Amino acid sequence: MPEGDTGWKRAFEADIISTVEFNYSGDLLATGDKGGRVVIFQKEQENKSRLHSRGEYNVYSTFQSHEPEFDYLKSLEIEEKINKIRWLPQQNAAHFLLSTNDKTIKLWKISERDKRAEGYNLKDEDGRLRDPFRITALRVPILKPMDLMVEASPRRIFANAHTYHINSISVNSDHETYLSADDLRINLWHLEITDRSFNIVDIKPVNMEELTEVITAAEFHPHQCNVFVYSSSKGTIRLCDMRSSALCDRHSKFFEEPEDPSSRSFFSEIISSISDVKFSHSGRYMMTRDYLSVKVWDLNMETRPVETYQVHEYLRSKLCSLYENDCIFDKFECCWSGSDSALMTGSYNNFFRMFDRSMRRDVTLEASRESSKPRAILKPRKVCTGGKRKKDEISVDSLDFNKKILHTAWHPLDNIIAVAATNNLYIFQDKAN
Amino acid sequence: MFARGIKRKCFDGEEDIEGTLAGFKSVPSYNLQRQSLLDMSLVKLQLCHMLVEPNLCRSVLIANTVRQIQEEMTQDGTWQVINAQNTGQASLDRLVSSDILCRSTKEQNEGKLVPSYSGFSKDFENTPSQDIISDLSTVTSVQAPRNPQSNNVWEMENSQENRGNFQKSLDQIFETLENKNPNSVEDLFSDVDNSYYDLDTVLTGMMNNTKMGHCDVLESFSSQTTTNSNSNCKSDINELDHIVEILVES
């Protein structure tokens, strides 16, 4: 967890950012937005001669991933908003990522071109064909450097497999398959095959009126390619083993924390709904995010989480208002630090929270232009929960619930974090010691 | 802004005058809060039927909340149950209720908490006699607080008033039935399994079926398939299969 000093650079302004993801090396950072665009940032090589230089992220590639569509059968629009981006591990010079909207997943290839061939025999520099009779000599075309061009091309389109809205995609550790999950079903795909997928989880009841629970997130285990988990709107997590049966409707493990009867209210179920589930890098733990807290689970213990962190407990008394303005349905994501020693998740008022698991410390920081200057230290924030408000504290009623940080990402190796605040992306780096 | 949490306060008899008074005051306020929550939830569900497909997770969570309130109100005895009439009409009622839910938002805005609520009547199966008609009565009791007179929460819901409202609501339903145009989905699917008109339809916002007969849908598809690329054709063909599947109802 970054200790005290952090520098920042506001990276890019775009439409409302809907997903943020570092690639496996952390050199690339992809964002998807509500307009269906993907913007990829690349970490600049650090210049060792300049003392204060650090790897900054600059725009590397921008492309339109998804377009709005119209479902003629239902007379409904299909939003182009990018729900999730997941990178594939790099196997050659090109980079591959999966991006998805509500219905369609696309595999994109991002490749660089920094050379072009000159001196063709059959066509001249403009590209016009030369008259063969005028060619009197042959030459070998030579490669000349050109300005770097980054091209993105769609290599696969995985469509028509989801009746409901896709909420998750997850690349398997075998690097050949991936899963996509919607509200009621999870499908398994092979990256090379677009015209069919296997349905591995189906919780749709025969009679839809009996529907009381939906799938909210799903992820493959980082090392065991046969294991995945999915979370539900009732606050449960199911771990499934694809070796046991083709259809994983029956789980191998079932994680649920017993409800505290003293805090039961009409909103208990809604706030227990899990908005995100993430395996630790080690594969020993998983983290879930519900409305008010973040929980760490040991995969070997199904009865209760091993750690629970309160994100914004002061909202518990405001649940009715938050239900009224629909904020109670906000889906916050969460992420692990590279070493699994820290967790991060977002909150309201452009606040985000970081929890140090080993030191048992937590901090609230703000991602906004007003509160931070470039290269300045981020000041910890505090929400006043009652009684006298101290200086620099914010009272709960002054919080701006329109400024929500739903998407955050942590560099897989370094202490660099990306925080999406509506349509702004903030990248914070820990000052090297 | 409501009081902290919506915890149920147990009101035990005459044990403590202070406590009694506090309990006395808190019970109606709890009922009021609960009623408002129910109202709010029903409005939220109704507003789900927009141009973009509604969020299924949100709809399910709200529906569960409504169900929870209804269960509690049934236990408290504040939920009036009017005995059902004929189960013979049940299937038709089901068709009607979901069909109303499929109406455009414009039509829905012209009045009605009643229709959206009846769609969930199937879930509230505490007694076998409970069906759409009994649920209508409960909906009118939802609307009761809007009437300044019945805001007086000390008196239990006026059953006579309810029946008057109930009659009105029932008339609205039957009126809609009569005004059906021949191209309505109802006629086309009269021999199709009722499961087509289910919560799935409601929650995924299939709105315009009453407007577009299926002949129209197929026509728009044939014009669509003449256009451009392979992927378009492919998705159209898949959608055509989907339509055929519905018509045949495997």
Side-chain angles (χ1 to χ4, degrees):
Chain A
M1 173 169 154
E3 278 249 27
D5 299 341
T6 49
W8 74 278
K9 178 177 198 286
R10 178 166 49 87
F12 195 74
E13 279 200 29
D15 281 343
I16 295 172
I17 297 171
S18 49
T19 184
V20 185
E21 185 81 356
F22 281 100
N23 74 338
Y24 281 75
S25 65
D27 285 340
L28 296 178
L29 174 67
T31 62
D33 65 22
K34 212 167 166 227
R37 285 178 308 169
V38 170
V39 180
I40 301 177
F41 300 86
Q42 186 185 45
K43 192 174 184 200
E44 295 301 326
Q45 293 298 318
E46 287 189 36
N47 191 337
K48 296 256 172 16
S49 62
R50 288 172 55 203
L51 273 173
H52 294 293
S53 154
R54 68 186 76 217
E56 290 178 350
Y57 283 83
N58 297 315
V59 178
Y60 177 68
S61 171
T62 304
F63 57 93
Q64 188 73 33
S65 172
H66 287 71
E67 300 275 2
E69 282 172 51
F70 195 75
D71 181 335
Y72 292 96
L73 183 62
K74 295 181 183 176
S75 295
L76 291 169
E77 278 183 15
I78 300 173
E79 280 189 306
E80 68 274 29
K81 174 169 71 90
I82 308 294
N83 292 335
K84 282 291 184 324
I85 288 174
R86 289 290 182 264
W87 290 91
L88 266 56
Q90 191 174 8
Q91 286 168 333
N92 51 38
H95 299 277
F96 289 87
L97 61 78
L98 288 169
S99 71
T100 186
N101 69 349
D102 283 338
K103 299 285 186 178
T104 303
I105 308 133
K106 295 186 183 181
L107 176 69
W108 287 89
K109 177 181 178 182
I110 298 103
S111 47
E112 291 184 3
R113 190 197 292 249
D114 61 355
K115 295 181 185 53
R116 67 164 189 273
E118 269 181 24
Y120 285 102
N121 290 294
L122 294 175
K123 55 184 183 183
D124 57 25
E125 299 308 319
D126 301 338
R128 281 178 305 182
L129 290 173
R130 290 169 75 190
D131 186 357
F133 294 106
R134 297 198 190 243
I135 300 170
T136 52
L138 285 178
R139 55 187 176 173
V140 177
I142 49 173
L143 291 176
K144 282 203 173 154
M146 57 180 257
D147 287 339
L148 177 67
M149 202 168 72
V150 181
E151 300 171 320
S153 58
R155 304 303 284 181
R156 305 268 188 279
I157 296 181
F158 306 91
N160 300 321
H162 286 279
T163 309
Y164 303 97
H165 290 179
I166 297 174
N167 53 55
S168 312
I169 48 175
S170 177
V171 182
N172 205 348
S173 52
D174 64 9
H175 303 163
E176 286 184 353
T177 56
Y178 74 94
L179 64 77
S180 58
D182 66 31
D183 295 314
L184 297 179
R185 297 191 178 101
I186 301 180
N187 293 331
L188 179 70
W189 301 83
H190 193 284
L191 284 164
E192 300 290 330
I193 299 168
T194 58
D195 61 354
R196 58 179 181 275
S197 66
F198 289 104
N199 176 247
I200 50 177
V201 173
D202 189 338
I203 64 167
K204 181 176 185 222
V206 170
N207 185 358
M208 273 295 276
E209 284 160 0
E210 287 161 11
L211 178 67
T212 58
E213 189 174 11
V214 300
I215 297 170
T216 52
E219 192 177 64
F220 264 121
H221 190 278
H223 311 307
Q224 295 169 33
C225 58
N226 52 297
V227 172
F228 66 93
V229 291
Y230 68 93
S231 59
S232 82
S233 55
K234 286 197 170 171
T236 66
I237 308 103
R238 288 169 177 82
L239 184 144
C240 300
D241 186 336
M242 293 194 293
R243 293 175 303 190
S244 54
S245 72
L247 187 59
C248 296
D249 277 358
R250 262 178 300 170
H251 48 263
S252 299
K253 293 192 183 183
F254 182 76
F255 299 82
E256 186 180 27
E257 183 170 26
E259 194 188 355
D260 176 12
S262 67
S263 66
R264 173 138 190 87
S265 73
F266 285 119
F267 305 111
S268 293
E269 187 185 308
I270 299 178
I271 63 169
S272 75
S273 173
I274 292 172
S275 50
D276 194 13
V277 64
K278 292 267 173 47
F279 278 103
S280 66
H281 292 91
S282 64
R284 276 193 57 199
Y285 300 97
M286 66 177 174
M287 160 169 56
T288 57
R289 175 68 155 99
D290 51 73
Y291 190 63
L292 296 179
S293 68
V294 160
K295 296 177 180 170
V296 175
W297 303 77
D298 184 326
L299 292 187
N300 297 316
M301 187 163 79
E302 301 163 55
T303 49
R304 56 181 170 78
V306 290
E307 296 157 32
T308 301
Y309 301 92
Q310 301 303 330
V311 180
H312 37 217
E313 180 68 12
Y314 47 78
L315 295 182
R316 193 180 288 271
S317 56
K318 310 278 181 192
L319 290 179
C320 202
S321 306
L322 293 165
Y323 180 73
E324 192 173 4
N325 63 16
D326 265 10
C327 281
I328 207 174
F329 301 108
D330 285 337
K331 293 196 192 299
F332 292 94
E333 291 173 8
C334 54
C335 58
W336 295 84
S337 68
S339 59
D340 294 340
S341 62
L343 317 168
M344 175 168 63
T345 190
S347 178
Y348 294 105
N349 208 71
N350 280 345
F351 288 170
F352 60 99
R353 302 264 285 140
M354 297 169 91
F355 304 94
D356 187 327
R357 295 174 66 207
S358 43
M359 310 270 277
R360 293 259 145 207
R361 286 188 323 180
D362 60 83
V363 69
T364 304
L365 301 170
E366 184 177 352
S368 72
R369 270 178 266 190
E370 294 81 32
S371 72
S372 4
K373 297 193 179 71
R375 315 242 170 257
I377 298 164
L378 271 183
K379 197 170 63 173
R381 312 287 290 165
K382 195 148 165 51
V383 176
C384 163
T385 51
K388 240 175 156 227
R389 185 175 78 86
K390 299 198 190 87
K391 183 177 173 252
D392 285 345
E393 281 186 357
I394 289 192
S395 73
V396 183
D397 296 314
S398 315
L399 294 174
D400 187 343
F401 289 94
N402 291 319
K403 295 185 182 170
K404 45 194 98 178
I405 292 182
L406 303 172
H407 313 287
T408 58
W410 204 310
H411 191 286
L413 304 165
D414 299 335
N415 276 341
I416 302 171
I417 57 175
V419 176
T422 318
N423 57 347
N424 289 318
L425 180 71
Y426 293 84
I427 299 177
F428 300 102
Q429 304 193 27
D430 197 8
K431 226 179 231 163
N433 292 333
Chain B
M1 224 347 240
F2 295 107
R4 186 179 165 78
I6 304 191
K7 288 188 189 174
R8 188 203 309 250
K9 290 206 174 124
C10 188
F11 172 27
D12 335 22
E14 327 279 321
E15 273 179 354
D16 174 43
I17 290 295
E18 199 104 60
T20 306
L21 281 173
F24 207 43
K25 279 193 194 118
S26 72
V27 165
S29 117
Y30 174 77
N31 279 353
L32 244 186
Q33 287 179 25
R34 189 173 60 185
Q35 196 65 69
S36 306
L37 187 61
L38 183 61
D39 284 351
M40 204 196 307
S41 303
L42 293 174
V43 169
K44 278 183 183 303
L45 283 171
Q46 203 175 21
L47 290 175
C48 280
H49 304 283
M50 294 298 184
L51 280 172
V52 182
E53 243 176 313
N55 184 334
L56 186 62
C57 181
R58 179 178 172 274
S59 304
V60 166
L61 288 172
I62 298 172
N64 289 351
T65 308
V66 168
R67 198 174 298 127
Q68 222 184 313
I69 297 174
Q70 187 265 354
E71 273 169 19
E72 196 182 275
M73 285 173 88
T74 310
Q75 282 166 17
D76 286 354
T78 51
W79 189 267
Q80 285 211 337
V81 177
I82 295 179
N83 278 328
Q85 300 170 351
N86 36 12
T87 48
Q89 250 191 341
S91 61
L92 183 66
D93 289 337
R94 272 183 79 172
L95 213 63
V96 165
S97 66
S98 310
D99 182 55
I100 289 169
L101 285 161
C102 294
R103 278 157 56 194
S104 71
T105 45
K106 180 165 169 264
E107 284 172 276
Q108 283 182 334
N109 287 340
E110 272 151 27
K112 305 147 192 170
L113 267 181
V114 171
S116 66
Y117 188 53
S118 51
F120 292 91
S121 62
K122 310 307 158 292
D123 300 318
F124 309 137
E125 301 282 1
N126 282 331
T127 66
S129 55
Q130 237 179 343
D131 67 0
I132 179 173
I133 295 167
S134 58
D135 290 316
L136 280 175
S137 71
T138 58
V139 169
T140 57
S141 68
V142 164
Q143 289 185 327
R146 301 195 192 284
N147 184 342
Q149 273 197 324
S150 48
N151 248 346
N152 183 356
V153 292
W154 295 109
E155 63 185 17
M156 297 305 279
E157 274 83 11
N158 187 334
S159 57
Q160 206 171 22
E161 194 181 326
N162 274 352
R163 268 187 228 115
N165 289 340
F166 158 58
Q167 190 57 38
K168 248 188 279 172
S169 315
L170 208 54
D171 286 345
Q172 282 168 354
I173 300 263
F174 290 138
E175 192 187 309
T176 329
L177 256 184
E178 279 161 0
N179 289 344
K180 276 279 148 290
N181 59 42
N183 280 339
S184 78
V185 169
E186 199 180 74
D187 291 332
L188 287 170
F189 290 89
S190 52
D191 56 344
V192 168
D193 188 353
N194 285 341
S195 63
Y196 177 70
Y197 298 92
D198 58 11
L199 207 56
D200 185 276
T201 310
V202 170
L203 293 180
T204 56
M206 284 186 71
M207 282 168 27
N208 291 331
N209 280 342
T210 50
K211 298 282 158 30
M212 216 199 262
H214 262 250
C215 310
D216 299 334
V217 173
L218 287 174
E219 264 171 63
S220 72
F221 256 91
S222 53
S223 61
Q224 192 59 19
T225 48
T226 54
T227 56
N228 33 41
S229 68
N230 274 341
S231 59
N232 268 355
C233 283
K234 197 169 155 187
S235 62
D236 285 341
I237 288 168
N238 287 342
E239 282 172 302
L240 204 57
D241 285 346
H242 190 43
I243 292 176
V244 172
E245 193 186 328
I246 289 171
L247 286 171
V248 168
E249 194 47 41
S250 51

